[in-house]
Short mmCIF file of all heavy atoms in Angstrom, two decimals:
data_model
loop_
_atom_site.label_atom_id
_atom_site.label_comp_id
_atom_site.label_asym_id
_atom_site.label_seq_id
_atom_site.Cartn_x
_atom_site.Cartn_y
_atom_site.Cartn_z
N THR A 208 264.77 97.39 111.98
CA THR A 208 263.44 96.94 111.87
C THR A 208 262.52 97.92 111.27
O THR A 208 261.66 97.62 110.38
CB THR A 208 262.91 96.58 113.30
OG1 THR A 208 263.75 95.59 113.86
CG2 THR A 208 261.43 96.00 113.29
N VAL A 209 262.56 99.32 111.57
CA VAL A 209 261.58 100.26 111.18
C VAL A 209 262.18 101.25 110.18
O VAL A 209 261.50 102.04 109.55
CB VAL A 209 260.96 100.92 112.35
CG1 VAL A 209 260.15 99.99 113.22
CG2 VAL A 209 261.97 101.79 113.23
N GLY A 210 263.52 101.26 110.06
CA GLY A 210 264.11 102.23 109.16
C GLY A 210 264.65 103.47 109.87
O GLY A 210 264.29 103.77 111.03
N GLU A 211 265.55 104.27 109.16
CA GLU A 211 266.11 105.44 109.85
C GLU A 211 264.99 106.59 109.91
O GLU A 211 264.11 106.69 109.11
CB GLU A 211 267.26 105.90 109.04
CG GLU A 211 268.47 104.98 109.21
CD GLU A 211 269.69 105.48 108.24
OE1 GLU A 211 269.57 106.72 107.78
OE2 GLU A 211 270.70 104.78 108.22
N GLY A 212 265.08 107.40 110.98
CA GLY A 212 264.27 108.57 111.12
C GLY A 212 262.88 108.36 111.68
O GLY A 212 262.12 109.21 111.75
N ARG A 213 262.61 107.03 112.03
CA ARG A 213 261.32 106.75 112.65
C ARG A 213 261.27 106.94 114.13
O ARG A 213 260.16 107.14 114.74
CB ARG A 213 260.91 105.28 112.29
CG ARG A 213 260.70 105.06 110.88
CD ARG A 213 259.46 105.51 110.36
NE ARG A 213 259.14 104.98 109.08
CZ ARG A 213 257.93 105.11 108.39
NH1 ARG A 213 256.99 105.78 108.94
NH2 ARG A 213 257.80 104.62 107.25
N LEU A 214 262.40 106.95 114.86
CA LEU A 214 262.40 107.27 116.25
C LEU A 214 262.24 108.68 116.49
O LEU A 214 263.10 109.51 116.17
CB LEU A 214 263.76 106.71 116.85
CG LEU A 214 263.87 107.03 118.38
CD1 LEU A 214 262.81 106.24 119.18
CD2 LEU A 214 265.27 106.57 118.83
N LYS A 215 261.13 109.09 117.02
CA LYS A 215 260.65 110.56 117.17
C LYS A 215 260.71 111.07 118.59
O LYS A 215 260.91 112.24 118.92
CB LYS A 215 259.31 110.76 116.70
CG LYS A 215 259.01 110.32 115.23
CD LYS A 215 259.76 111.21 114.17
CE LYS A 215 259.26 110.84 112.73
NZ LYS A 215 259.94 111.59 111.77
N LEU A 216 260.65 110.08 119.52
CA LEU A 216 260.53 110.46 121.01
C LEU A 216 261.03 109.27 121.83
O LEU A 216 260.90 108.16 121.52
CB LEU A 216 259.07 110.76 121.35
CG LEU A 216 258.76 111.41 122.80
CD1 LEU A 216 259.30 112.75 122.88
CD2 LEU A 216 257.32 111.43 122.97
N ILE A 217 261.67 109.70 123.01
CA ILE A 217 262.14 108.67 123.95
C ILE A 217 261.43 108.95 125.32
O ILE A 217 261.49 110.12 125.79
CB ILE A 217 263.65 108.68 124.19
CG1 ILE A 217 264.33 108.19 122.90
CG2 ILE A 217 264.12 107.86 125.32
CD1 ILE A 217 265.79 108.47 122.84
N HIS A 218 260.80 108.00 125.94
CA HIS A 218 260.33 108.04 127.28
C HIS A 218 261.57 107.57 128.09
O HIS A 218 261.84 106.34 128.15
CB HIS A 218 259.15 107.24 127.47
CG HIS A 218 257.86 107.83 127.02
ND1 HIS A 218 256.68 107.14 126.90
CD2 HIS A 218 257.51 109.14 126.57
CE1 HIS A 218 255.71 107.94 126.51
NE2 HIS A 218 256.24 109.16 126.26
N ALA A 219 262.20 108.46 128.81
CA ALA A 219 263.43 108.12 129.51
C ALA A 219 263.05 107.75 130.97
O ALA A 219 262.86 108.63 131.86
CB ALA A 219 264.47 109.32 129.54
N ASN A 220 262.98 106.47 131.24
CA ASN A 220 262.56 105.97 132.50
C ASN A 220 263.48 104.82 132.90
O ASN A 220 263.88 103.94 132.15
CB ASN A 220 261.15 105.37 132.50
CG ASN A 220 260.15 106.37 132.01
OD1 ASN A 220 260.09 107.44 132.61
ND2 ASN A 220 259.39 106.03 130.99
N ASP A 221 264.05 104.89 134.09
CA ASP A 221 264.85 103.71 134.66
C ASP A 221 263.91 102.65 135.12
O ASP A 221 262.58 102.84 135.06
CB ASP A 221 265.76 104.15 135.83
CG ASP A 221 267.09 103.45 135.79
OD1 ASP A 221 267.03 102.22 135.54
OD2 ASP A 221 268.13 104.07 136.04
N SER A 222 264.35 101.45 135.46
CA SER A 222 263.50 100.34 135.77
C SER A 222 263.69 99.86 137.27
O SER A 222 264.81 99.62 137.62
CB SER A 222 263.68 99.21 134.80
OG SER A 222 263.03 98.03 135.18
#
Side-chain angles (χ1 to χ4, degrees):
T208 303
V209 300
E211 290 182 8
R213 295 285 193 169
L214 178 61
K215 306 286 187 182
L216 188 66
I217 293 168
H218 283 168
N220 302 306
D221 213 320
S222 173

